[in-house]
Amino acid sequence: MKILVVGGGGREHAIAWRLAQDEERHEIFCAPGNAGTAAVAKNVAIGAEDVDGISKWARENSPDLVVVGPEAPLVKGLVDALLSLGIPAFGPVAAGARMEGSKRFAKEVMKAAGVPTGMAETFTDAAKAKAALPAFGLPVVIKADGLAAGKGVIVAETKEQAEAAIDDMLVGGRFGAAGAEVLVEEFLHGEECSILAMVDGENAVLLPSSQDHKRIFDGDKGPNTGGMGAYSPAPVVTTDRLPFIKEKIILPVVRELRRRGVAYRGILYAGLMVNDADSNPHGPLAKSGSTVNVVEFNARFGDPETEAVLPRLGGSFATALLHAATGALRDEDIVVSDEAAATVIASSGGYPGSYEKGRSISGLEGDDPNTIVFHCGTKAQDGGIVTSGGRVLSVTGRGATLREAVDRAYARLGRISFDGMFYRKDIAHRAFER
Ligand code: AMP
Ligand code: GLY
């Protein structure tokens, strides 16, 4: 197949790499890609959010499939544009991507579908939002309705913090239009995990579970980032929970969207909070009464979850993606290996605050079947590879056990270096503490 992958981060490198592992040989392109995707695909110099540019390329090159990585082009209607050209595209249309693009819309759909989630109310008026706070207790979560590059969620420990966050968004215009509406939401106690479901408009197949590490420092301290590492499977998602997640969370959303005239195709990513005697730490049960609640939905593969999940998939990945994109997904399309995988992000010093780019990276060469070095923010320069983003590399290890996978990832990472390189040393700690 001729396949275009849209995006230029670790997730897209993992997608392109996994496509290149298929037995069937594909012709793979990546727009815009990075120095890592260049090894498995042909980079095309078009920005991921350039809907017109990508549509034009697709019209001229007639790919068999376009796989859209990031949320921004999905929300902007890239898939709608490709479908209007008759080109199969993996990812939801804009009306479906609202599950990620508008937290208010996602709550409305969940409510209509009876999906367990935190209680929430939406406000455009700061005084009314503040007046509602006492009903939510503390901590309380304040969220911008729209896309805010992962920064639009404030977990407030005190009333003052909550009020400041409300003022920041509704009065100060901190996130512009994305923060013109805010949600005040019940704080959910428990352990988070990610379930990526592949959806074809009607049916869904769950990919293996995973867990992300959002904070910058060990022990889940410090500011939130795009994700500092992930592993799969996540033991918090015990096998007996999977039918509940599929039947009571994923499929009801897909059905509710259909009822609203939206065929959701692509990845429906459920960020879940699990709270029961087996999860750690645990606190009061959610008002929904459920031990598994939705924290958020994303309309795409997670990053860095993808770098840990895709190396565990067997079979023809291109066929699975094409089947989902064309409404023909079957359970057999997803084959999962028993191996575990863990990925560790190497970031630029200073990230998620300001950081420098253009630092030369050494130690990337050398083959090792048990590890894969995915590039997140790199570019080729003067015959070498330099840093070009906050998250630079995502180093994945595979093994018979999670411990082996983690050890292999760290051993590989130990041979890589660049000025200011930083990484967490405790990826998968929750699984090991169990
Ligand atoms: P989101 O952008 O919605 O994924 O939120 C970012 C992070 O904030 C999540 O990964 C959680 O760690 C935290 N968070 C969001 N909503 C809640 C909630 N209702 N209860 C507890 N933590 C939350
Ligand atoms: N790893 C979190 C996300 O992709 O949103």
Side-chain angles (χ1 to χ4, degrees), residues 412-432:
R412 183 79 183 83
L413 194 52
R415 301 200 290 276
I416 296 173
S417 71
F418 56 87
D419 250 10
M421 178 167 107
F422 173 84
Y423 57 89
R424 275 181 66 161
K425 313 285 186 300
D426 68 343
I427 297 308
H429 70 93
R430 287 207 164 77
F432 297 136

Side-chain angles (χ1 to χ4, degrees), residues 26 45 54 62 68 85 88 97 105 118 155 179 194 202 232 239 283 312 349 386 427:
H26 307 298
I54 290 168
S62 305
V68 184
L85 298 172
F105 175 75
V155 177
S194 306
E202 191 172 353
S232 174
T239 321
R312 298 189 58 216
V386 301
I427 297 308

Side-chain angles (χ1 to χ4, degrees), residues 212 226 269 298 300 302-305:
D212 184 13
Y269 162 145
N298 291 321
R300 52 170 173 82
D303 197 351
E305 289 94 328

Side-chain angles (χ1 to χ4, degrees), residues 187-193 236 270-275 279 281 290-296:
F187 179 83
L188 300 166
H189 295 265
E191 183 172 341
E192 282 185 83
C193 60
V236 62
L272 303 174
M273 190 71 82
V274 179
N275 180 22
S279 66
S290 174
T291 54
V292 181
N293 286 278
V294 174
V295 174
E296 60 159 349

